[in-house]
Amino acid sequence: MIRVTADGFDAGAEANRFAASHTDVGAMVTFTGLVRSLPNDPILALILECYEELATNELAALREQAISRFGLTDAAIIHRHGRLVPGETIMMVMTLAPHRKAAFEGAQFLMDYLKTDAPFWKQEETATGARWVVTMPKDKDARSRWIG
Amino acid sequence: MKVLYFAWLRERLNRASDEVAPPAEVQTLADLVSWLRSRDEALDYAMADPSIFKLSRDARIVPWDTPLDGAQTVAILPPMTGG
């Protein structure tokens, strides 16, 4: 399941529904990304710009890749766009597999690729204005460990 | 053909898209970027380091040397920050 949406979602309800969709799995890993505002670097909101058609296509391809590479039974990605305030969910990755290793690795792989290969752009809204979030070298490093 | 711009690139250009009709010698996406930069100083300056950008053709990310091949929509994508 791939969902690119401006709407909020209930991560717990999504996880329960996904877990109930298969009975032949022993492991589910879920990761939920949240909007954070740090005390020494507070933000008012996070604005996510998105190329929706491309995002849907790329996330679907990434999901297929994760399923075949790690032998997952199923995988799901939900990613929001629009203006989100601290505490709101940004995105969620879920994997189902016969055993936990595949479920963990599949989820990690999806997260690492989402950071650099999904057409979303974050802008932080602060008391003094808005600024575009830049790609962190650590995110590129995290992705590169899956290559080769 | 439509060319889409996103995020800070869109802001730098003050527009989200262009409708263009490139000449016949523009064969690949890389050719298209060169041609667009040659006729737009703001785009040329914003893409001073082209290696950070990815390109999509008809809503799929493809390598820069991909032929245009009748593409309807090409997007120039600054470094992505999803997740």
Side-chain angles (χ1 to χ4, degrees), chain A residues 67-139:
Chain A
I67 288 174
S68 73
R69 177 162 177 172
F70 299 98
L72 303 176
T73 307
D74 202 355
I77 306 168
I78 305 171
H79 207 305
R80 292 179 67 190
H81 55 86
R83 186 179 186 275
L84 313 179
V85 297
E88 279 194 83
T89 53
I90 305 174
M91 50 77 59
M92 187 174 188
V93 157
M94 299 184 275
T95 56
L96 287 170
H99 303 289
R100 70 176 186 278
K101 186 168 186 282
F104 272 121
E105 286 184 353
Q108 189 97 57
F109 169 88
L110 285 170
M111 278 312 306
D112 288 344
Y113 269 81
L114 275 173
K115 284 275 176 196
T116 56
D117 289 55
F120 295 88
W121 296 272
K122 288 181 183 138
Q123 196 177 26
E124 291 174 335
E125 194 182 305
T126 72
T128 55
R131 61 184 181 221
W132 291 100
V133 172
V134 296
T135 311
M136 296 293 174
K138 68 175 168 54
D139 291 331

Side-chain angles (χ1 to χ4, degrees), chain B residues 6-67:
Chain B
F6 288 92
W8 53 263
L9 182 62
R10 171 180 54 72
E11 284 187 347
R12 296 265 287 269
L13 301 177
N14 274 317
R15 61 186 188 279
S17 67
D18 275 328
E19 196 65 49
V20 299
E25 63 264 28
V26 172
Q27 297 272 319
T28 66
L29 269 72
D31 293 345
L32 178 69
V33 169
S34 302
W35 179 71
L36 290 167
R37 289 181 66 181
S38 72
R39 58 205 285 276
D40 184 332
E41 206 176 338
L43 180 67
D44 189 42
Y45 186 65
M47 293 190 77
D49 179 4
S51 69
I52 65 171
F53 294 88
K54 291 188 180 181
L55 303 174
S56 72
R57 187 188 72 183
D58 294 335
R60 283 311 307 265
I61 293 173
V62 292
W64 278 56
D65 58 3
T66 303

